[in-house]
């Protein structure tokens, strides 16, 4: 009986630390501005050539990459901070939390534009295919999470978006189905 | 039956107090065995250590810094210089530099798998009877002997430049027809068999890097190429390689990074240590090929080393034999008054790779090529028995007026030396020293090094291997260890390696031939432990405990014995 209060405290502390049940703040720019820190981060995708900022669609067509693989572009908008930051992303399959991809990119947050947002010139490819062995991404829902980190590693903002991953319907379809099936 | 089940059977039989006493006594004997093994008096011989010699057809060293990948590619080619061309897909317009073969020498030398076989004798057993002591060394000798030892329109060109001996071009990969037309028009030889292999890489936004040797260069001038480009995961374009690959081509990959690297879309295999030739390592390459063939689609890598990069750091810039820094000072080199003094400086300051005997060994070809630009090797020296290396080793003699007067026919068609010390020193430091310094910096900038190996035949090169990272996986030592304990008087000779412990007498060649080559086929993910696909378990009669030959050979008997002692003591206390 004496252990129960302690367990409750530990459980609550764990829940708070993990941030469970706290949805990211949604911004007005489609991708949503993520909280969790001192800055705001909006997360979207890009045009096929990797430029621009486009709201992440409900279903994202996998984009052929330059080395015979497929990816989804991640485009960032940032406000509330400036200078060198790092954007670290993970992609997980929603059904089971399997890690599909991770990566990071240094950004130099400079002059802001409309709404006080700074936008990256080029998008970041979230590499997905070839997938890890045994992990198919075809028609799967995936959760993209990006953490914006200061140079000292402290978290400035975090954001998540979800989309369904689909292979292109063009001549790349068969190749995509082959290397994205896990 | 596994060793675990054997152990369990013994333990479950320990029910009576008398039985426990017997096992406790046995445990003492096992403790003695462990004490024996811990002694360093020569009661067992020093292990034999052998290195497998496996020729890799493709060697690549990657370093990964966040979103930037740098690839050192060692190009292996035999043929005419005019026929040489190299084509590789890249995800972005790359930086292109020339690397150094020394990087691969250092990586290979310090992480090469080594098989260490320790041969000893069981307690009470010796080469000529129940003799304890250092006589076991003779047994070692006998056993070793038995072992046997941005373009517009249809023009895909983005940029064209040179790097070291190479003429290179970065080409847009939007159109295969445009790409091939450009390669043909500009005499970049691409095997016709690579036409289909090109297809997966031809797409908008992608690039190819095409290389060929500059005029006047020879195949002997080939040096590693260094490509840096934006990417998250290193990848080897094996599908494209299939056009010119040979059966069972070795692919050696080194990855310098923060954490252990894993094959993301290939299986991982661990070799069956019971099939390895521990005496000579002669079957290592064949065993890798066989183990890889047991993985689905024959797509798998073996990890040969995973651990700290400390084993390779700092070695490129220090001459081990002198314990001193290499290369001296550029201005000093440039001030050398004669070509002979210049070459003498190169020798004195260990411009040759650290492992070479710079006391008399020739300087590397890459270095002599630079010197030869000012001091050509006379074309008729070879027919008079003076090799290029001999010429450069004795320039004082061969550049003297006396030598030229004595053998004018030797110097026919020789344009003479046009020595410019400062210019030559600048060339040497830019083209030869700087790539070594860059490689050293790369080794020092990453804490972790993973070495992986596989063999693939062209028909199996159907998917490009991609490499990812997992911080939670254990290190893999380069040295693999095995122990053979020679028994007698009913105690079996046992062979132990990598978690297996078997009756050596029953480990016959037919039994080995029937075993799988892979002890473990597994999946390595970017998180968590390995997922086992299959694991080899030796047949019951192969296990060392077969025949009930005493506790001396039972795996885990030491711990069972300790448990028994503890139970006896505890019961006595309770009583």
């Amino acid at each position: 009986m004496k252990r129960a209060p302690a367990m409750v405290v530990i459980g609550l502390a764990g829940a708070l630390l993990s941030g469970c049940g706290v949805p990211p703040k949604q911004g007005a720019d489609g991708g949503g501005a993520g909280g969790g820190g001192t800055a705001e981060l909006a997360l979207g995708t890009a045009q096929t050539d990797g430029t621009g900022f486009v709201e992440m669609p409900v279903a994202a067509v996998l984009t052929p990459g330059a080395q015979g693989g497929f990816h989804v572009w991640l485009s960032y908008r940032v406000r509330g901070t400036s200078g060198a930051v790092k954007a670290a992303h993970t992609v997980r399959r929603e059904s089971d939390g399997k890690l599909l991809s991770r990566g990071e990119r240094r950004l130099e947050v400079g002059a802001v534009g409309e709404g006080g947002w700074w936008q990256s010139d080029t998008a970041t490819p979230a590499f997905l295919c070839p997938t890890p062995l045994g992990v198919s991404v075809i028609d799967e829902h995936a959760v993209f999470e990006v953490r914006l980190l200061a140079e000292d590693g402290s978290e400035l903002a975090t954001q998540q978006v979800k989309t369904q991953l689909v292979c292109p319907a063009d001549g790349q379809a068969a190749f995509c189905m082959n290397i994205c099936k896990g | 039956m596994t060793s675990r089940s054997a152990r369990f059977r013994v333990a479950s039989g320990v029910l009576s107090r008398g039985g426990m006493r017997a096992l406790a006594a046995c445990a003492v004997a096992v403790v003695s065995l462990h004490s024996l093994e811990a002694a360093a008096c020569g009661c067992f011989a020093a292990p034999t250590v052998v290195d497998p010699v496996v020729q890799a057809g493709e060697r690549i060293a990657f370093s990964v810094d966040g979103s930037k990948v740098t690839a050192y590619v060692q190009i292996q080619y035999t043929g005419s210089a005019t026929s040489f061309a190299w084509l590789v897909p890249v995800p972005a317009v790359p930086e292109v530099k020339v690397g150094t073969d020394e990087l691969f020498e250092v990586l290979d030398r310090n992480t090469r798998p080594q098989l260490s076989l320790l041969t000893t004798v069981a307690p009470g057993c010796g080469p000529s009877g129940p003799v304890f002591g250092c006589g076991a060394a003779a047994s070692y000798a006998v056993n070793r002997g038995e072992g046997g030892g941005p373009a517009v329109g249809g023009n895909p060109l983005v940029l064209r430049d040179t790097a070291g001996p190479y003429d290179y071009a970065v080409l847009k990969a939007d159109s295969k027809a445009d790409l091939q037309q450009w390669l043909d028009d500009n005499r970049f030889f691409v095997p016709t068999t690579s036409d289909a292999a090109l297809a997966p890489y031809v797409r908008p936004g992608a690039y190819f890097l095409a290389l060929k040797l500059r005029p006047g260069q020879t195949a002997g001038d080939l040096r590693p190429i260094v490509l840096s480009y934006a990417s998250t995961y290193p990848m080897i374009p094996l599908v494209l390689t299939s056009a010119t690959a040979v059966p069972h081509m070795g692919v050696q990959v080194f990855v310098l990074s923060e954490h252990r690297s894993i094959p993301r879309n290939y299986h991982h295999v661990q070799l069956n240590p019971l099939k390895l030739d521990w005496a000579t390592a002669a079957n290592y390459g064949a065993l890798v090929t066989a183990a890889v063939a047991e993985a689905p689609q024959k797509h798998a890598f073996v990890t040969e080393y995973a651990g700290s990069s400390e084993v390779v750091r700092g070695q490129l810039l220090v001459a081990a034999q002198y314990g001193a820094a290499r290369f001296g000072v550029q201005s000093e080199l440039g001030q050398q008054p004669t070509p002979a003094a210049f070459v003498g400086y190169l020798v004195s300051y260990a411009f040759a790779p650290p492992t070479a005997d710079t006391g008399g060994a020739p300087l590397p070809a890459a270095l002599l090529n630079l010197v030869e630009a000012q001091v050509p090797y006379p074309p008729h020296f070879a027919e008079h028995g003076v090799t290029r290396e001999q010429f450069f080793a004795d320039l004082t003699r061969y550049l003297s007026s006396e030598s030229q007067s004595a053998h004018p026919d030797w110097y026919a068609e020789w344009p003479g030396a046009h020595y410019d010390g400062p210019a030559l020193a600048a060339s040497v430091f830019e083209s030869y020293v700087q790539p070594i310094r860059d490689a050293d910096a790369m080794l020092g900038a990453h804490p972790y090094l993973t070495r992986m190996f596989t063999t693939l035949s062209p028909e199996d090169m159907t998917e490009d291997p991609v490499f990812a990272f997992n911080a939670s996986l254990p290190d893999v030592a380069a040295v693999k260890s095995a122990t053979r304990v020679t028994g007698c008087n009913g105690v079996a000779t046992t062979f132990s390696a990598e978690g297996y412990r078997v009756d050596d007498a029953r480990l016959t060649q037919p039994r080995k031939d029937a075993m799988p080559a892979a002890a473990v086929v597994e999946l390595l993910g970017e998180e968590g432990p390995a997922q086992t696909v299959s694991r080899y378990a030796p047949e019951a009669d192969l296990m060392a405990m077969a025949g009930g030959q005493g506790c001396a050979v039972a795996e885990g008997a030491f711990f069972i014995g300790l448990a028994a002692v503890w139970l006896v003591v505890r019961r006595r206390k309770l009583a």
Side-chain angles (χ1 to χ4, degrees):
Chain A
M1 291 296 288
K2 284 182 179 178
R3 288 184 179 177
M7 295 299 285
V8 170
V9 170
I10 291 169
L12 284 173
L16 285 170
L17 285 171
S18 64
C20 67
V22 182
K25 285 192 292 183
Q26 294 300 305
D29 300 83
T38 57
E40 287 181 278
L41 170 67
L43 176 57
T45 187
Q47 296 164 21
T48 309
D49 64 358
T51 61
F53 185 96
V54 179
E55 184 178 353
M56 187 68 82
V58 174
V61 178
L62 290 158
T63 304
Q67 287 185 294
F70 290 86
H71 62 267
V72 168
W73 289 114
L74 291 178
S75 203
Y76 308 131
R77 284 178 171 168
V78 177
R79 69 181 172 192
T81 189
S82 62
V85 296
K86 189 165 74 175
H89 72 258
T90 58
V91 187
R92 292 183 183 276
R93 194 161 67 174
E94 186 183 40
S95 60
D96 57 7
K98 289 268 190 188
L99 182 65
L100 303 175
S101 178
R102 64 175 151 206
E104 62 182 43
R105 179 185 174 186
R106 294 193 180 283
L107 303 171
E108 189 68 32
V109 179
V112 299
E114 190 180 345
W117 291 100
W118 169 87
Q119 184 177 313
S120 58
D121 291 337
T122 55
T124 301
F127 184 91
L128 289 166
C129 311
T131 50
L133 275 180
V135 184
S136 172
V137 301
I138 299 168
D139 297 331
E140 291 279 347
H141 286 90
V143 178
F144 293 74
E145 182 178 85
V146 176
R147 297 171 68 221
L148 194 67
L149 304 169
E151 291 226 85
D152 64 1
S154 60
E155 187 173 290
L156 300 170
T158 184
Q159 179 60 286
Q160 285 187 357
V161 293
K162 190 173 76 174
T163 189
Q164 186 179 19
L165 304 172
V166 294
C167 278
D170 57 14
Q172 296 278 353
F175 182 56
C176 175
M177 298 290 274
N178 185 44
I179 68 169
C180 298
K181 70 180 188 303
Chain B
M1 185 199 307
T2 65
S3 60
R4 178 170 294 187
S5 62
R7 184 195 314 169
F8 205 76
R9 188 180 63 184
V10 172
S12 64
V14 184
L15 294 173
S16 68
R17 178 169 286 194
M20 271 188 255
R21 281 181 185 143
L23 198 55
C26 186
V28 173
V30 176
V31 170
S32 298
L33 174 62
H34 278 247
S35 300
L36 171 69
E37 290 181 346
C41 71
C43 300
F44 48 85
T48 58
V49 180
V50 290
D51 300 348
V53 178
V54 179
Q55 180 65 44
E58 190 154 325
R59 266 176 159 183
I60 302 183
F62 291 109
S63 73
V64 184
D65 300 285
S67 57
K68 182 182 175 187
V69 170
T70 300
Y72 277 70
V73 187
Q74 193 175 43
I75 300 168
Q76 314 228 348
Y77 172 78
T78 52
S80 70
T82 51
S83 298
F84 170 79
W86 191 67
L87 192 65
V88 61
V90 285
V93 177
E95 289 174 37
V96 181
K97 293 193 298 187
V98 169
T100 172
D101 284 309
E102 286 194 32
L103 171 68
F104 291 96
E105 288 163 18
V106 165
L107 286 169
D108 181 51
R109 188 172 66 241
N110 293 287
T111 62
R112 187 183 303 156
Q114 296 182 314
L115 307 183
S116 171
L117 175 60
L118 176 66
T119 303
T120 182
V121 293
C125 302
S128 57
V131 178
F132 249 70
C134 300
S139 172
Y140 152 71
V142 170
N143 287 345
R144 184 171 59 170
E146 289 169 347
V152 177
N155 182 4
L157 182 65
V158 177
L159 69 89
R160 188 166 182 179
D161 205 343
T162 60
Y166 302 111
D167 175 2
Y168 74 86
V170 177
L171 305 162
K172 286 204 122 186
D174 298 23
S175 158
K176 188 165 68 176
D178 291 345
L179 176 72
Q180 290 189 315
Q181 186 65 51
W182 190 95
L183 292 169
D184 288 345
D185 291 348
N186 292 276
R187 298 168 184 262
F188 279 77
F189 173 79
V190 176
T192 52
T193 49
S194 65
D195 186 58
L198 275 176
Y201 310 100
V202 176
R203 59 188 57 180
Y207 301 90
F208 279 99
L209 171 70
L211 279 179
K212 67 177 180 180
L213 281 166
R214 293 162 59 190
Q217 303 289 319
T218 69
D221 295 321
L222 288 172
R223 293 173 65 186
I225 196 79
V226 187
L227 310 174
S228 298
Y229 47 84
S231 186
T232 305
Y233 296 114
M235 183 275 284
I236 302 177
L238 272 184
V239 177
L240 188 55
T241 302
S242 66
T244 54
V246 296
H248 308 308
M249 188 183 89
V251 178
Q252 185 90 70
V253 189
F254 299 93
V255 184
L256 287 145
S257 54
E258 289 290 313
H259 307 295
R260 180 173 161 184
S261 181
I262 58 164
R264 173 181 160 99
N265 57 334
Y266 274 50
H267 282 81
H268 185 257
V269 292
Q270 297 179 30
L271 301 181
N272 186 343
L274 302 181
K275 292 195 80 159
L276 264 175
D277 179 346
W278 288 81
T280 67
N283 70 340
Y284 181 83
L287 194 60
V288 171
T289 297
V292 166
E294 290 167 8
Q297 296 180 280
K298 300 182 182 177
H299 285 178
F301 278 86
V302 175
T303 299
E304 296 182 321
Y305 174 80
S308 171
S309 63
E310 203 169 335
V311 297
V312 294
R313 274 183 238 151
Q315 295 197 22
L316 284 167
L317 300 184
V318 173
Q321 64 270 51
Y322 305 131
R326 302 170 67 191
F327 306 133
V329 180
Q330 181 180 331
S331 57
E332 280 184 13
L333 177 62
Q335 288 163 8
Q336 299 305 307
T338 64
F342 191 95
V343 171
Y345 191 98
L346 299 180
V347 172
S348 297
Y349 285 88
F351 278 65
T355 50
D357 173 12
T358 52
L363 292 164
L367 192 53
L368 290 184
N369 290 348
L370 298 172
V371 177
E372 201 169 355
Q374 293 192 5
V375 187
Y377 169 57
H380 293 285
F381 265 43
E383 59 202 62
H384 294 289
V386 181
T387 65
R388 187 166 175 257
E389 289 71 23
Q390 287 170 329
F391 170 74
F392 284 108
D394 199 357
L395 286 178
T396 302
R397 172 184 172 191
Y398 292 119
L399 296 185
S400 68
S401 54
E402 291 82 357
S403 178
Q404 294 179 49
S405 302
H407 308 287
D409 53 324
W410 291 25
Y411 294 86
E413 300 172 72
W414 183 55
H418 299 88
Y419 177 63
D420 178 345
L424 187 52
S427 168
V428 166
F429 269 77
E430 180 186 340
S431 302
Y432 182 81
V433 176
Q434 193 58 46
I436 296 173
R437 288 179 171 166
D438 289 345
D440 182 73
M442 183 183 80
L443 294 178
H446 302 84
Y448 207 93
L449 172 62
T450 310
R451 169 182 173 138
M452 290 169 276
F453 182 64
T454 191
T455 66
L456 281 158
S457 292
E459 64 272 21
D460 300 319
M461 295 178 177
T462 54
E463 188 168 333
D464 294 336
V466 177
F467 301 93
F469 308 93
N470 184 331
S472 62
L473 291 175
D475 291 352
V476 176
V479 178
K480 323 293 178 195
S481 300
T483 304
R484 178 175 287 116
V485 181
T486 305
C488 66
N489 299 332
V491 176
T493 295
T494 61
F495 178 79
S496 310
E498 313 265 304
Y500 293 97
R501 191 177 180 98
V502 299
D503 184 334
D504 195 54
R506 301 183 184 198
L507 189 60
T508 58
Q509 194 58 47
R511 300 285 297 260
K512 289 183 181 181
D513 293 342
M515 289 176 184
V520 179
V521 179
E522 58 193 352
L523 298 177
L524 303 183
E526 292 180 60
E527 294 179 317
Q531 297 174 50
T532 302
V533 175
S534 64
R535 181 182 294 274
Y536 167 62
E539 296 74 11
D541 68 323
L542 194 55
M543 302 305 297
M545 270 300 288
Q549 293 168 330
C551 56
V553 293
E555 181 183 15
F558 172 67
F559 299 103
I560 296 168
L562 282 183
V565 171
W566 178 77
L567 282 170
V568 169
V569 171
R570 189 161 182 265
R571 285 202 173 199
R572 281 181 178 167
K573 280 186 178 174
L574 289 173

